[in-house]
């Protein structure tokens, strides 16, 4: 009896092992398709390399042949893009990098110095052909680097992911986000006439991936309603003009891409998809639309109180944070508060001056006061990306000798001298078990908890995208211009319209050539990101901020040089500082004129106004906590200046 059971068990085990072996080693249509598309890309890359090596770069016809070969290789790359961009983003930069060098610090690298990542490949090759004094050697280097990068996708560490369905839905999530934010904007396609044809070709290629996946994964397939909606999206693109400046980006995203994203999020949850990739670090797995403030997390406004979930406790932290925000007890002279520069009634900025006063009350600070609304959707704080957290930024302002001029110990002692603060922070200590006494981190975290809640509002544009309301025609047309001819969306990405692009793990910096004055007499002397990270590419670079609530956050640019949106639009229309004759050797903004008409500029402004959010501002505190130190009790709510 026991021998029979053992024999049956062994036979079953052998069958199971055999089945598992067959499952892992027998190629299916989905896996075959991956290697087929990869092989076709490599063939196109080699054909491009051969064309270059056989060409005379001084011959116009030969250059045209090279551009044609680049276009064919790009088409093959886009057929693989669904997998490649997600599975190995660093290798992807070498196949099709938008910039020669990138220093963007990703969220999981914020504690380390930025890494230099060279961009090579097809986009760089096409751009290089438009430069003066080109050499065949460098062009060959750009393409060889692309070929070498493509080999990365044959590695076992990547191909073994094909054996589980999880990667598919994660790849698909990034693909859908890029349909909204990147693929229709020209972010990495130098020839704007190819943007929409390339989009249509890629969408059709992804359709073959969908079908192959469903055939090979019946238990975790894409449902019929998803496939039907995706095919309608293809039909929509097919019916559109191939001119990306005429393409209806608004309807494409609202009616097709946003709903597809929601459906894919539902599938992520239904199939219990699990990710080990850092690419998914900040994205929310909940079923939310693209235009949700919960789609990704850039910063924790809770700081040291991250683990607090009790709503009543959070309300108390918020209340104390509000008091501190208005309390000049944080400053060295007892006269300045956070609200001195970040005025809550002015969208937490100061619209009355280009740059705020220094602590001495006479000189001015070098930079414009940024709005604190939506700052949690950046991965680095400050215009130069100096800080990795909002709490560090808050502490830096309080201890900066020209801003609030206090010091660590003095702030804590002063705050704890007030009975109301003292009792509250000692109560909060039990929610931060690794800390045995109140620190500046507790104080700064209470402040960020307070102002962070004001970044949860929605704008008319968001509501329209989420099918809650309609949007007037001028704003829609302005959005379509924003995504195309005006080239705004190549730096200000959907959905936050800041410098954080899908998969929302890094903040981008740009060199725009901002002038010292409106006469463009000189380039701004502020070296920007270079002061934090001394790389030549970072000279005069600043983090790309959000354009949400822009109507209420003037003056504009890091130095507050422009007072109207019309001036800002014209600055970009003319090609930034370089376009106006300033010497900006590393400008990342194209110096060519955008050629926007008066009407187009007006529509662009109308779109930006549709990003004004409904922010529930609160009244200032009536009074501040009393201190045991009598000299501190003369302080005024909001400070003196």
């Amino acid at each position: 009896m026991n021998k029979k059971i053992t024999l049956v068990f062994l036979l079953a085990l052998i069958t199971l092992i055999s089945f598992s072996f067959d499952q892992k080693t027998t190629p299916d249509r989905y896996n075959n398709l991956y290697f087929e598309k990869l092989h076709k890309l490599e063939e196109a890359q080699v054909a491009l390399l051969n064309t270059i090596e056989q060409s005379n770069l001084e011959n116009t016809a030969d250059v045209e042949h090279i551009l044609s070969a680049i276009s064919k290789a790009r088409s093959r790359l886009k057929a693989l893009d669904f997998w490649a961009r997600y599975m190995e983003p660093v290798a992807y930069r070498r196949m099709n990098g938008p910039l020669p060098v990138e220093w963007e610090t990703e969220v999981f690298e914020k504690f380390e110095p930025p890494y230099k990542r060279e961009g090579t490949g097809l986009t760089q090759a096409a751009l290089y052909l438009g430069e003066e004094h080109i050499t065949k050697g460098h062009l060959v280097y750009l393409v060889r680097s692309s070929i070498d990068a493509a080999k990365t996708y044959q590695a076992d560490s990547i191909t073994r992911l094909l054996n589980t369905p999880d990667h598919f839905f994660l790849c698909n999530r990034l693909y859908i986000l890029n349909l909204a934010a990147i693929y229709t904007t020209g972010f990495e396609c130098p020839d704007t006439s190819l943007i929409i044809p390339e989009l249509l070709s890629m969408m059709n290629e992804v359709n073959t991936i969908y079908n192959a996946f469903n055939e090979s994964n019946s238990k975790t397939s894409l449902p019929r309603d998803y496939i039907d909606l995706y095919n309608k999206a293809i039909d929509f693109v097919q019916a559109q003009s191939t001119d990306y400046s005429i393409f209806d980006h608004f309807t494409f995203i609202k009616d097709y891409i946003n709903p597809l994203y929601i459906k894919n999020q539902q599938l992520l949850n239904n199939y219990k998809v699990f990710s080990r990739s850092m690419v998914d670090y900040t994205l929310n797995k909940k079923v939310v639309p693209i235009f949700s403030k919960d789609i990704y997390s850039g910063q924790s406004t809770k700081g040291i109180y991250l683990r607090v979930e009790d709503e009543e406790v959070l309300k108390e932290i918020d209340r104390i944070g509000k008091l501190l925000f208005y309390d000049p007890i944080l400053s060295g002279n007892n006269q300045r508060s956070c609200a001195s520069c970040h005025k809550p009634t002015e969208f937490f900025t100061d619209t009355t001056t280009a740059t705020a006063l220094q602590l001495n009350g006479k000189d001015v600070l070098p930079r414009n006061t940024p709005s604190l609304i939506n700052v949690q959707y950046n991965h680095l704080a400050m215009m130069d990306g100096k800080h990795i957290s909002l709490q560090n930024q808050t502490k830096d302002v309080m201890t900066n000798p020209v801003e609030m001029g206090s010091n660590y110990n003095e702030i804590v002692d002063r705050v704890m001298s007030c009975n109301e603060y003292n009792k509250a922070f000692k109560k909060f200590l039990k929610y931060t078990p690794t800390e045995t006494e109140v620190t500046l981190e507790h104080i700064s975290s209470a402040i960020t908890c307070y102002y962070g809640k004001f970044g949860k509002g929605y704008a008319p544009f968001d509501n329209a995208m989420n099918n809650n309301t309609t949007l007037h025609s001028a704003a829609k047309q302005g959005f379509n211009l924003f995504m195309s001819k005006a080239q705004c969306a190549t730096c200000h990405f959907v959905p936050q319209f800041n410098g954080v692009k899908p998969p929302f793990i890094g903040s981008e910096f740009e060199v725009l050539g901002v002038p010292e004055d409106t006469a463009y007499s000189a380039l701004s002397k502020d070296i920007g990101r270079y002061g934090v990270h001394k790389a030549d590419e970072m000279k005069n670079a600043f983090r790309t901020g959000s354009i949400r609530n822009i109507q209420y956050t003037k003056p504009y640019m890091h130095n507050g040089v422009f007072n109207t949106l019309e001036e800002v639009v014209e600055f970009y229309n003319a090609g930034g500082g370089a376009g106006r004759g300033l010497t900006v050797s590393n400008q990342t903004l194209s110096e060519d004129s955008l050629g926007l008409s008066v009407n187009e500029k007006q529509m662009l402004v109308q779109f930006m106004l549709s990003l004004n959010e409904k922010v529930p501002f609160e009244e200032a505190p009536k009074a501040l906590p009393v201190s045991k130190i009598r000299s501190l009790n003369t302080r005024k709510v909001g400070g003196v200046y």
Side-chain angles (χ1 to χ4, degrees):
M1 185 76 172
N2 290 337
K3 289 182 179 179
K4 287 183 179 179
I5 293 174
T6 302
L7 181 60
V8 171
F9 174 77
L10 287 173
L11 287 171
L13 184 60
I14 291 169
T15 302
L16 179 62
I17 292 171
S18 175
F19 176 76
S20 299
F21 182 79
D22 288 342
Q23 287 290 95
K24 290 181 180 179
T25 59
T26 303
D28 57 20
R29 186 184 170 199
Y30 180 70
N31 287 39
N32 279 344
L33 192 62
Y34 173 85
F35 289 106
E36 177 187 314
K37 291 181 185 292
L38 181 58
H39 178 64
K40 287 183 178 179
L41 169 62
E42 291 172 332
E43 283 185 334
Q45 288 172 318
V46 171
L48 168 59
L49 183 62
N50 290 337
T51 300
I52 293 171
E53 289 177 334
Q54 296 168 15
S55 296
N56 176 3
L57 297 183
E58 295 181 359
N59 185 302
T60 303
D62 282 7
V63 171
E64 288 300 320
H65 287 147
I66 294 172
L67 287 171
S68 177
I70 289 175
S71 180
K72 290 177 182 177
R74 285 185 62 88
S75 178
R76 295 304 184 190
L77 173 63
K78 290 303 174 182
L80 188 74
D81 219 82
F82 177 88
W83 292 294
R85 193 186 289 271
Y86 174 82
M87 288 179 166
E88 220 333 307
V90 175
Y92 190 90
R93 280 192 184 97
R94 291 189 287 124
M95 287 200 299
N96 195 37
L99 293 172
V101 175
E102 291 187 78
W103 288 97
E104 285 81 11
T105 304
E106 293 173 341
V107 62
F108 43 87
E109 301 169 337
K110 291 196 295 185
F111 296 93
E112 304 173 16
Y115 293 101
K116 180 179 181 179
R117 294 186 176 92
E118 291 190 23
T120 55
L122 304 180
T123 292
Q124 287 303 310
L127 290 171
Y128 185 64
L129 283 171
E131 295 181 10
E132 297 180 1
H133 312 301
I134 62 176
T135 67
K136 184 179 290 187
H138 186 65
L139 195 58
V140 166
Y141 159 73
L142 292 173
V143 176
R144 281 195 184 279
S145 181
S146 180
I147 293 171
D148 291 340
K151 294 175 182 176
T152 304
Y153 295 93
Q154 297 176 1
D156 289 345
S157 59
I158 291 178
T159 59
R160 69 186 179 197
L161 297 175
L162 300 172
N163 295 325
T164 65
D166 297 69
H167 80 283
F168 172 83
F169 295 99
L170 297 168
C171 285
N172 197 42
R173 177 169 64 178
L174 181 57
Y175 167 66
I176 296 168
L177 287 172
N178 284 329
L179 283 172
I182 289 178
Y183 290 139
T184 66
T185 67
F187 172 72
E188 55 188 20
C189 185
D191 187 345
T192 58
S193 69
L194 297 177
I195 292 172
I196 302 305
E198 197 174 81
L199 170 70
L200 182 60
S201 174
M202 178 175 58
M203 291 183 72
N204 280 315
E205 292 284 357
V206 170
N207 216 6
T208 67
I209 295 174
Y210 285 169
N211 292 332
F213 178 79
N214 275 4
E215 184 178 301
S216 303
N217 297 272
S218 59
K219 292 183 179 180
T220 55
S221 61
L222 285 170
R224 186 73 256 167
D225 64 335
Y226 181 96
I227 297 295
D228 288 345
L229 182 58
Y230 186 76
N231 283 322
K232 288 178 182 178
I234 292 176
D235 292 341
F236 176 84
V237 176
Q238 181 74 58
Q240 288 283 302
S241 168
T242 57
D243 183 346
Y244 88 135
S245 63
I246 299 175
F247 184 84
D248 190 351
H249 300 259
F250 180 85
T251 301
F252 178 61
I253 297 173
K254 181 179 76 71
D255 291 352
Y256 303 102
I257 306 310
N258 200 22
L260 285 170
Y261 183 79
I262 293 171
K263 289 180 182 294
N264 191 71
Q265 289 293 95
Q266 291 170 335
L267 295 170
L268 281 171
N269 285 275
N270 293 345
Y271 293 140
K272 295 180 172 56
V273 169
F274 179 75
S275 171
R276 293 183 178 86
S277 173
M278 300 301 279
V279 171
D280 302 308
Y281 190 88
T282 65
L283 275 161
N284 190 344
K285 284 184 67 174
K286 293 181 181 178
V287 181
V288 296
I290 293 174
F291 292 88
S292 165
K293 286 298 185 73
D294 295 321
I295 188 173
Y296 76 90
S297 173
Q299 291 277 349
S300 168
T301 56
K302 289 183 178 180
I304 202 169
Y305 305 115
L306 181 63
R307 292 174 178 80
V308 179
E309 298 295 338
D310 188 308
E311 288 299 323
E312 291 304 312
V313 176
L314 288 173
K315 284 181 182 178
E316 181 63 7
I317 294 172
D318 169 78
R319 187 185 73 82
I320 293 298
K322 177 179 178 178
L323 284 172
L324 287 166
F325 192 87
Y326 283 91
D327 199 335
I329 201 169
L330 302 176
S331 65
N333 63 3
N334 208 34
Q335 295 186 17
R336 301 199 85 182
S337 71
C338 302
S340 294
C341 297
H342 299 279
K343 300 177 180 179
T345 55
E346 297 178 21
F347 280 69
F348 288 87
T349 182
D350 187 347
T351 63
T352 64
T353 182
T355 62
L357 286 171
Q358 292 188 18
L359 184 67
N360 63 19
K362 299 176 183 178
D363 301 317
V364 294
L365 295 167
R367 293 178 187 163
N368 176 246
T369 302
S371 170
L372 295 179
I373 296 176
N374 296 317
V375 289
Q376 61 262 51
Y377 303 108
N378 295 303
H379 292 297
L380 296 172
M382 305 288 280
M383 294 179 185
D384 56 14
K386 179 180 179 181
H387 297 295
I388 63 174
S389 74
L390 297 178
Q391 293 72 37
N392 284 359
Q393 183 268 337
T394 303
K395 289 184 289 186
D396 185 38
V397 172
M398 290 189 286
T399 57
N400 190 313
V402 298
E403 293 188 71
M404 295 182 77
S406 193
N407 64 68
Y408 186 104
N409 292 328
E410 183 180 57
I411 294 170
V412 176
D413 290 343
R414 285 183 169 200
V415 168
M416 296 302 283
S417 74
C418 301
N419 187 51
E420 187 172 356
Y421 288 144
N422 191 300
K423 286 175 62 177
F425 281 115
K426 284 183 177 178
K427 176 183 174 183
F428 300 155
L429 266 180
K430 68 179 180 181
Y431 299 102
T432 58
T434 59
E435 303 292 335
T436 58
E437 58 182 33
V438 176
T439 66
L440 194 55
E441 192 73 21
H442 291 89
I443 294 169
S444 64
S445 295
I447 293 170
T448 59
C449 276
Y450 162 64
Y451 71 70
K453 68 183 178 185
F454 297 104
K456 296 293 184 181
Y458 287 87
F461 182 84
D462 302 317
N463 293 329
M465 275 292 177
N466 293 329
N467 280 313
N468 296 325
T469 58
T470 58
L471 193 68
H472 56 84
S473 176
K476 290 180 185 177
Q477 293 179 65
F479 173 70
N480 290 338
L481 284 165
F482 185 92
M483 296 290 283
S484 57
K485 182 179 178 181
Q487 297 180 17
C488 312
T490 59
C491 295
H492 295 272
F493 302 103
V494 165
Q496 287 302 328
F497 300 101
N498 58 9
V500 184
K501 65 179 182 293
F504 312 123
I505 57 174
S507 295
E508 291 200 346
F509 294 80
E510 303 291 342
V511 181
L512 306 175
V514 175
E516 192 75 20
D517 51 47
T518 54
Y520 289 82
S521 61
L523 182 68
S524 167
K525 297 180 179 62
D526 194 328
I527 58 176
R529 179 72 169 156
Y530 187 79
V532 176
H533 175 57
K534 289 186 167 42
D536 288 343
E537 294 86 3
M538 293 291 100
K539 286 180 179 176
N540 307 110
F542 293 88
R543 178 176 51 75
T544 302
S546 175
I547 59 168
R548 288 178 176 272
N549 306 308
I550 196 167
Q551 180 182 9
Y552 305 114
T553 57
K554 69 172 188 177
Y556 307 110
M557 316 311 281
H558 69 266
N559 56 356
V561 66
F562 300 129
N563 279 305
T564 68
L565 287 177
E566 288 73 19
E567 286 179 307
V568 175
V569 171
E570 188 50 46
F571 168 76
Y572 285 100
N573 185 48
R580 293 293 294 266
L582 298 178
T583 301
V584 196
S585 60
N586 64 332
Q587 183 169 302
T588 55
L589 176 71
S590 171
E591 63 182 80
D592 297 330
S593 172
L594 297 172
L596 296 172
S597 68
V598 172
N599 188 45
E600 287 173 331
K601 293 175 191 175
Q602 291 173 345
M603 289 190 292
L604 201 57
V605 170
Q606 286 302 306
F607 159 64
M608 289 190 279
L609 297 185
S610 77
L611 292 175
N612 291 337
E613 297 171 344
K614 188 175 181 180
V615 180
F617 294 119
E618 301 173 348
E619 290 186 4
K622 300 297 183 184
L624 298 171
V626 176
S627 170
K628 293 177 183 178
I629 305 171
R630 295 181 64 181
S631 61
L632 295 180
N633 293 325
T634 59
R635 64 193 196 279
K636 297 181 179 180
V637 175
V640 178
Y641 67 100

